[in-house]
Amino acid sequence: SKAKLFDENTDTKTSFKDVAGLEGAKEEVQEIVDFLKFPEKYTALGGKIPKGALLVGPPGTGKTLLAKAVAGEAKVPFFSLSGSDFVEMFVGVGASRVRDLFKQAKEKSPSIIFIDEIDAIGRARGKNNFSGSNDERENTLNQLLTEMDGFGTNTNVIVLAATNRADVLDSALMRAGRFDRQIYVDLPDVRERKEIFEVHLRPLKKEETLDIDFLAKQTPGFSGADIANVCNEAALIAARNGKKAVNKQDFLDAVDRIVGGLEKKNKIIT
Ligand code: ATP
């Protein structure tokens, strides 16, 4: 089957309500929402609206969710692609995909472009240059830099990119007028985990007495994605056992299962 160019999402139903915790990050992206909704308010005084921001943090902490929520709050279309797709699927055509993506986003502006795993294309150039595919990656990265420089300050396309390795990125990406803002999206603390549980417990039939503080305390080091997984897994475990509502034990079993999976993934031996 033919690989997709990129995703375009015009349903703007994701909002800041779907993003639990991350108060600081939400405050910072609120400004981006405002740029998209009321650009004249900023340009009237001669200011230049930023073109890009980098969302930096560990996997599963809500970077994609936050970017979608920015588009949802501003009611603008969301164009997205993943850096790893470029490297794996688009050999020979990375640069033209980037050009098409920006063209589409400009035509539908105001809009958001979201590049997940930007490190896959944005690693510092001229390092580890052992294989031919690196030229491909550099061409793609150069096109991205060209596009970001090319669109004027009144284009009203904002590019958000996510990475968990800001340290490996080419410094050219972070230069003024490109991804010159970094927004940190960290693992949740116990209070934030409680809020994330509240979001993901909403659709579940659970026992009235379920103690959410307890669940938050049982899940140190869990990301938002891990918590979403726990909630879903708990519902499946309860259903498998023929229960009418999900209870504390189902959550504990789900936590054990997710911890087991995480340990395998991280090769932690206990
Ligand atoms: P990756 O770096 O692996 O791409 P990410 O930081 O982009 O991860 P998301 O894809 O946004 O993470 O998160 C995956 C899912 O986890 C979300 O769709 C959501 O269900 C849940 N999730 C993560 N963080 C949060 C949060 N802060 N609030 C509510 N749900 C969250």
Side-chain angles (χ1 to χ4, degrees), residues 18-20 22 58-65 116 164 196 199-200 224-225 228:
D18 300 304
V19 187
L22 302 181
T61 45
K63 298 181 290 296
T64 306
L65 185 65
D116 201 4
N164 31 55
I196 298 171
V199 167
H200 292 282

Side-chain angles (χ1 to χ4, degrees), residues 73-91:
E73 294 282 341
K75 302 253 176 295
V76 304
F78 179 82
F79 295 88
S80 66
L81 57 82
S82 170
S84 58
D85 289 350
F86 272 89
V87 179
E88 286 156 21
M89 310 197 302
F90 299 145
V91 178

Side-chain angles (χ1 to χ4, degrees), residues 14 16 29 43 78 81 103 118 144 154-156 158 162 164 171 177 183 186 191 197 202 226 228 232 241 244:
T14 306
F16 286 153
V29 297
T43 52
F78 179 82
L81 57 82
K103 186 165 174 279
I118 193 168
L144 176 61
N154 52 3
T155 311
N156 215 4
I158 293 185
N164 31 55
S171 58
I183 299 170
D186 278 327
R191 190 186 49 83
F197 265 111
R202 241 180 254 152
D226 297 332
N232 195 60
N241 293 317
K244 292 273 180 285

Side-chain angles (χ1 to χ4, degrees), residues 198-217:
E198 278 161 354
V199 167
H200 292 282
L201 286 172
R202 241 180 254 152
L204 301 192
K205 284 207 176 103
K206 58 208 170 283
E207 285 188 352
E208 295 292 333
T209 53
L210 188 70
D211 181 352
I212 304 179
D213 283 304
F214 173 79
L215 297 178
K217 283 185 198 137

Side-chain angles (χ1 to χ4, degrees), residues 3 7 9 11 32 41 53 101 125 129 197-198 211 221 223-224 240 247 250 259 266-267:
D7 278 328
N9 191 342
D11 87 56
I32 296 174
K41 177 170 138 193
L101 171 69
R125 287 168 292 185
N129 209 353
F197 265 111
E198 278 161 354
D211 181 352
S223 67
R240 193 176 307 128
N247 71 15
D250 302 318
V259 168
N266 299 327
K267 297 195 174 59

Side-chain angles (χ1 to χ4, degrees), residues 224-251:
D226 297 332
I227 292 171
N229 252 336
V230 165
C231 292
N232 195 60
E233 195 64 42
L236 297 182
I237 290 170
R240 193 176 307 128
N241 293 317
K243 293 184 193 161
K244 292 273 180 285
V246 195
N247 71 15
K248 178 175 166 180
Q249 191 55 50
D250 302 318
F251 281 95

